[in-house]
Amino acid sequence: MKTFDVIIIGAGSIGVPLSFYLAKKGLKVAVLEKLASEGRGQNRAAIGGIRATHSDPSKIKICQLSIDILKNFKNEYGKEIDWVQGGYLYPVYDDATEISLKKLLGKQKKFKLNLDWVTPEKVNELVPGINNNDLKGATFSPEDGSCSPLKVTGAYLSLARKSGVEFYFNEEVVSIETNGNKISTILTAKEKYSAEIIINAAGAEAKEIGLLVGLNIPVTPDSHEAGITEPVQPFFKPMVVDIRPDDYSLNYYFYQNKEGQVVFCITPKPPIVGKDIDNTSEFLPLVVKRMLSLYPRLRNLRIRRTWRGLYPMTPDGFPIVGFTKEIENLFLAVGMCGQGFMIGPGLGLIASEIIADKSNKYNFITEQLSLYRNFSGVEMLK
Ligand SMILES: Cc1cc2nc3c(=O)[nH]c(=O)nc-3n(C[C@H](O)[C@H](O)[C@H](O)COP(=O)(O)OP(=O)(O)OC[C@H]3O[C@@H](n4cnc5c(N)ncnc54)[C@H](O)[C@@H]3O)c2cc1C
């Protein structure tokens, strides 16, 4: 039996940064991962967008922290993560979207988010050549940005290892034993583990981990596709998010990364529930048509690769974070939906304070993101 202070199940967008922050607090931490290395679950499917412009205080706070961490990452830790602070731009072409985004803007500003309504001229400055027909303006948040999910998780892995975290790859958690209302033993095919605190950070498999201890955690994955072009000189700055739905998609978004490649993604309508990660032939015709109509300058770019991954969705689009009532040493950091990459660093830091320092500072987060909420809310910018 290997014994630790904390065991994290899942070396993904959430588990790897969290392991580092816990180890920095002096805890003895192990991470159990069923795949061969870090970030091979949904972390590698993420396109790299990082924003604090959400519609609720918890995610805003978590992601503001993520941005602070990531923009200083290279200076602080000497590791390149391809951070680009290009902002997020939501261009608006119709009255209904203008009304709803302006309404949300008022709410977001109360949380001290740096974002504003900008004119069509400003939109053209940020995205030269964008379709101007009926363009009414946009909301723009200049402090948001992007970085490489592979580099961020790789960097955290090496920092975590240096801080003493032990990673066990190719070890799937297959069974969990309890003693009263506490987890006593975690079993993989190779080994038995025990710890004071167990963290479920199993992403799209969070529900299955819950079921091992009789807990029903409402995380249901759905499939999303993305693609990347060849690199070219930088020609636009922000992540462009078009939230107008059409017959087959709810929205789509794209940006140019530090290497000059345009990375893009679409939200299918209706959602494709399940764990299918095979590429489809429908994705490119659908997304390319929409992207070219919004931004004709993309037309000469060659697409290098497409892929498909999963959003670990919850019924209301918000994550689930905090200790469970039924199993007192089980902490949940699951249900990250389409934002787990941007949530990872900030949540890692916050959860380390909750777990190691028993801090009450973030009670507003664990209350809002509790497993025991009624899940009837709706995240407007999920
Ligand atoms: C196309 C696409 C684009 C996206 N773009 C963005 C974006 O721009 N920005 C953003 O913030 N998010 C984005 N996301 C969402 C993001 O990828 C996820 O929210 C995030 O990766 C979830 O993090 P996680 O740590 O919960 O899960 P993961 O990163 O999947 O980590 C969970 C880990 O747990 C492991 N695991 C599961 N079961 C077990 C077990 N029984 N034993 C041991 N290990 C186990 C898995 O193998 C996995 O490695 C995107 C997702 C997709 C599909």
Side-chain angles (χ1 to χ4, degrees):
M1 176 91 88
K2 291 195 161 103
T3 302
F4 296 88
D5 295 323
V6 181
I7 288 176
I8 300 173
I9 304 172
S13 307
I14 301 297
V16 180
L18 175 54
S19 73
F20 168 60
Y21 292 113
L22 286 167
K24 265 179 75 173
K25 298 263 178 204
L27 297 179
K28 191 178 174 214
V29 182
V31 182
L32 309 181
E33 168 57 55
K34 69 175 180 177
L35 299 174
S37 63
E38 82 286 0
R40 288 176 70 98
Q42 301 321 311
N43 181 76
R44 72 172 174 175
I47 68 166
I50 307 277
R51 64 179 157 99
T53 36
H54 299 284
S55 64
D56 69 290
S58 301
K59 268 166 58 181
I60 290 174
K61 177 69 197 170
I62 295 170
C63 291
Q64 280 174 329
L65 261 181
S66 288
I67 290 174
D68 279 349
I69 294 168
L70 294 169
K71 74 178 182 203
N72 296 316
F73 207 89
K74 195 172 170 191
N75 280 345
E76 188 160 0
Y77 301 113
K79 297 196 183 287
E80 180 58 71
I81 55 163
D82 291 351
W83 169 252
V84 179
Q85 199 151 32
Y88 263 60
L89 183 86
Y90 291 72
V92 172
Y93 290 88
D94 60 80
D95 293 337
T97 313
E98 181 171 352
I99 291 167
S100 77
L101 280 185
K102 282 187 168 166
K103 202 168 143 201
L104 184 60
L105 196 67
K107 196 173 157 191
Q108 289 169 317
K109 283 188 155 192
K110 283 196 192 127
F111 300 116
K112 301 197 170 52
L113 277 175
N114 176 7
L115 85 162
D116 231 321
W117 180 259
V118 294
T119 60
E121 290 69 38
K122 179 71 180 174
V123 176
N124 275 274
E125 195 185 295
L126 293 163
V127 189
I130 192 168
N131 187 343
N132 276 304
N133 292 338
D134 298 325
L135 178 63
K136 291 173 176 300
T139 56
F140 178 55
S141 47
E143 289 179 37
D144 294 336
S146 62
C147 50
S148 157
L150 298 181
K151 289 186 182 175
V152 169
T153 308
Y156 270 117
L157 178 95
S158 100
L159 293 170
R161 277 196 166 133
K162 278 193 193 130
S163 311
V165 178
E166 294 180 29
F167 284 85
Y168 296 92
F169 291 113
N170 294 311
E171 288 218 39
E172 178 171 3
V173 172
V174 289
S175 173
I176 299 179
E177 290 170 359
T178 53
N179 185 0
N181 57 357
K182 284 184 92 170
I183 291 175
S184 55
T185 315
I186 300 213
L187 294 100
T188 68
K190 296 182 186 162
E191 189 65 76
K192 286 183 175 184
Y193 298 87
S194 75
E196 282 302 309
I197 289 167
I198 313 299
I199 300 175
N200 179 352
E205 275 89 34
K207 190 188 199 80
E208 285 82 344
I209 295 295
L211 291 174
L212 293 177
V213 290
L215 263 188
N216 185 15
I217 304 171
V219 173
T220 308
D222 60 26
S223 301
H224 291 251
E225 280 178 270
I228 190 163
T229 70
E230 63 188 340
V232 291
Q233 289 294 317
F235 64 105
F236 68 105
K237 289 200 178 84
M239 174 79 80
V240 179
V241 188
D242 184 354
I243 60 169
R244 286 172 295 175
D246 73 357
D247 288 347
Y248 306 100
S249 56
L250 278 182
N251 54 55
Y252 62 100
Y253 40 101
F254 57 92
Y255 75 104
Q256 193 174 17
N257 69 16
K258 196 165 190 179
E259 312 221 332
Q261 298 166 290
V262 175
V263 201
F264 52 95
C265 199
I266 202 162
T267 305
K269 182 176 126 189
I272 303 163
V273 176
K275 291 189 181 170
D276 192 348
I277 50 166
D278 281 344
N279 292 29
T280 69
S281 54
E282 284 103 19
F283 168 61
L284 274 185
L286 184 64
V287 73
V288 165
K289 192 169 149 221
R290 293 204 66 183
M291 282 167 63
L292 292 191
S293 118
L294 185 84
Y295 199 18
R297 274 193 194 180
L298 300 169
R299 68 186 174 278
N300 293 321
L301 292 177
R302 282 171 299 199
I303 292 164
R304 276 208 171 151
R305 189 166 73 81
T306 63
W307 65 91
R308 194 177 190 195
L310 307 173
Y311 282 15
M313 291 305 294
T314 59
D316 57 4
F318 293 106
I320 301 172
V321 175
F323 282 103
T324 70
K325 291 178 185 165
E326 295 82 352
I327 310 284
E328 66 180 48
N329 62 343
L330 176 63
F331 187 91
L332 305 179
V334 299
M336 298 298 148
C337 306
Q339 288 108 33
F341 172 58
M342 62 183 84
I343 287 173
L347 182 60
L349 190 59
I350 288 170
S352 74
E353 291 189 23
I354 297 171
I355 291 167
D357 307 338
K358 312 221 173 341
S359 164
N360 293 328
K361 203 162 104 192
Y362 298 109
N363 281 3
F364 74 98
I365 291 181
T366 47
E367 275 158 26
Q368 195 214 323
L369 304 182
S370 158
L371 173 65
Y372 308 99
R373 66 185 188 258
N374 65 18
F375 291 97
S376 64
V378 180
E379 153 63 309
M380 283 184 69
L381 293 178
K382 72 181 167 188

